[in-house]
Amino acid sequence: MSDKIDFNVIRPIDEARYLTADNASRYRLIMRYFYQNYERLRYWLTK
């Protein structure tokens, strides 16, 4: 095994960058709104 750390293991996760942004509370609110609408649509499309 190599003693080097793989870059993919330690790289930042771009998809979660909004959690530490200056306006994180705004981003969370927006993401919650879209997720709730997604959930409504999914239930609406079922039989």
Side-chain angles (χ1 to χ4, degrees):
M1 285 187 66
S2 176
D3 290 336
K4 294 181 180 180
I5 298 175
D6 187 16
F7 177 73
N8 290 328
V9 175
I10 61 171
R11 72 174 177 80
I13 301 171
D14 292 331
E15 294 83 5
R17 188 170 293 179
Y18 77 94
L19 295 171
T20 58
D22 293 335
N23 295 323
S25 59
R26 290 183 187 174
Y27 294 141
R28 287 184 189 132
L29 228 153
I30 293 167
M31 294 299 288
R32 181 177 297 126
Y33 173 78
F34 281 113
Y35 180 74
Q36 288 172 346
N37 283 320
Y38 161 76
E39 286 293 314
R40 285 185 200 142
L41 180 63
R42 191 177 72 183
Y43 292 130
W44 184 68
L45 290 175
T46 60
K47 287 185 178 180

